[in-house]
């Protein structure tokens, strides 16, 4: 299975260069980046207004954990991927079932995580 072409992705990442790299990777996979946020408050607002099929969440946003955003997305019933330099240990038990990719990640790892996000557990 390949990543669905036209998949709308919302990216939460606080580092501008990393965000640009992720957007390029997503576009290479045929995805459309519909929005991005660099902080938890902006991301929480965007979850309510930005259309997306999947979100990619960096765990640490300028020292603040992204988990309230993950909760808001889960409440909407939408899939998400967690990107973390901390590994699974940095992710609460409530979110260990979602795809978690280590930072930095490669295009192939992102593609695999997207496919996992849409595969029933």
């Amino acid at each position: 299975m390949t990543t669905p072409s036209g998949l709308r992705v919302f990216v939460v990442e606080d580092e501008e260069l990393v965000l640009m790299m992720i957007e390029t990777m997503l576009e290479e996979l045929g995805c459309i980046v519909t929005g991005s946020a660099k902080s938890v408050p902006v991301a929480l607002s965007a979850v309510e207004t930005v259309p997306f099929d999947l979100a990619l969440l960096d765990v640490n946003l300028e020292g603040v954990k992204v988990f309230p955003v993950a909760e808001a997305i889960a409440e909407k019933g939408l899939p998400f991927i967690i990107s973390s330099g901390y590994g699974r240990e940095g992710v609460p038990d409530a979110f260990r079932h979602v795809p978690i990719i280590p930072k930095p990640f490669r295009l192939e790892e992102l593609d695999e995580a997207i496919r996992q996000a849409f595969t029933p557990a």
Side-chain angles (χ1 to χ4, degrees):
M1 176 181 161
T2 60
T3 299
S5 181
L7 184 71
R8 301 172 305 166
V9 182
F10 173 57
V11 181
V12 180
E13 169 62 57
D14 62 340
E15 303 224 11
E16 190 66 36
L17 290 177
V18 175
L19 175 61
M20 289 171 31
M21 179 194 71
I22 291 169
E23 288 174 339
T24 299
M25 287 178 160
L26 289 167
E27 289 166 3
E28 286 180 31
L29 292 172
C31 300
I32 300 164
V33 178
T34 56
S36 63
K38 297 179 182 179
S39 70
V40 169
V42 172
L44 285 171
S45 176
V47 164
E48 300 304 320
T49 59
V50 173
F52 63 94
D53 305 307
L54 172 75
L56 176 59
L57 311 176
D58 180 19
V59 166
N60 188 353
L61 303 172
E62 299 176 353
V64 178
K65 300 293 186 208
V66 76
F67 303 119
V69 179
E71 290 170 3
I73 293 168
E75 286 174 12
K76 293 177 79 73
L78 293 170
F80 58 93
I81 298 165
I82 294 175
S83 167
S84 172
Y86 306 103
R88 289 199 173 274
E89 297 74 36
V91 177
D93 289 343
F95 300 119
R96 290 199 181 172
H97 67 284
V98 303
I100 300 171
I101 54 177
K103 284 179 82 174
F105 52 84
R106 298 182 327 271
L107 182 66
E108 298 79 18
E109 291 169 310
L110 178 58
D111 185 44
E112 175 64 24
I114 291 170
R115 288 186 278 121
Q116 285 178 6
F118 288 98
T119 302

